[in-house]
Amino acid sequence: MKTLLTTAYVTIPDGVQIEVKSRNIRVKGSRGTLTREFKHLNLELALVGKNKLRVDSWFAKRKEVACVRTLCSHIENMITGVTKGFQYKMRSVYAHFPINMTVPADGKSIDIRNFLGEKMLRSVQMHSGVKVDVSKAQKDEIVLEGNDLEKLSLSAALVHQAVLVKNKDIRKFLDGLYVSERNVLEPVEAGKK
C-alpha cells in the first residue's frame, strides 16, 4: 500500500547555510563545506524559512518512506560535521609481535609494520578530508579526524582491513587494528581553525 505523503523536517542551526538544488545538498559551516548528491532517491527537498529543510515523499511504498528519515539523518550528520567534526580512535591489538604504526607529516596516510612479524610494509591512504595521527595520550592508538562521517568511517575500515589475519583461526589470532571510540568533537568558534 502506498502512503499519500510523508514529510520530515531538518532544523538548521545558526551559523550553518544549506543550499538545495535538484537533490544536490551543500552544507556550509565553521569547519568547512560538505556536498552530497541524493539523485537516487525519489524525494522532494525544499527550504522552509531560514532554519528548516522539508523532505517530502509522495505516493511512496514502505521502503521509500524509510528513505525520508535516512536522508534526514545524512543531512544532520553533515551539519554536525561542518560545525563540530567527528573523531575515531583505533587501538592496535597484538599477542607477541608489536605492531609499529608511523604517520607521515601530512597525516594523509599511515604505514603499518611488523604485523604478525611480517616484513611487509602496509600503507593505507586516507580518504580526502580525513587526518590521521598517532595518539600522544595512549600507547598503540591512532586518531582519525574529519568532517565527513562517511569518509572517516571508510578510512577506519581501510585501516582495519589492511591488517586482517589470513589462513589462521581468527578466534585465536586477534591481532589487528580495531575502532575503540567514536566521538563528536567540540565546536569551533568562527574565525578560529
Side-chain angles (χ1 to χ4, degrees), residues 11-78:
T11 306
I12 303 165
D14 294 333
V16 175
Q17 297 174 337
I18 291 186
E19 296 171 22
V20 178
K21 187 176 180 186
S22 64
R23 287 180 284 185
N24 282 337
I25 296 177
R26 177 188 221 96
V27 181
K28 204 177 210 176
S30 58
R31 287 180 61 98
T33 306
L34 291 177
T35 308
R36 194 131 179 225
E37 191 176 286
F38 294 102
K39 300 257 187 189
H40 62 284
L41 297 175
N42 193 13
L43 300 172
E44 227 174 74
L45 300 167
L47 286 168
V48 181
K50 289 185 178 179
N51 64 343
K52 279 213 174 190
L53 176 75
R54 188 181 71 222
V55 182
D56 292 332
S57 179
W58 293 89
F59 302 107
K61 293 183 180 173
R62 189 165 171 240
K63 296 232 172 167
E64 293 159 348
V65 168
C67 292
V68 172
R69 182 70 194 123
T70 302
L71 178 83
C72 291
S73 295
H74 283 308
I75 295 168
E76 286 164 3
N77 284 338
M78 290 168 76

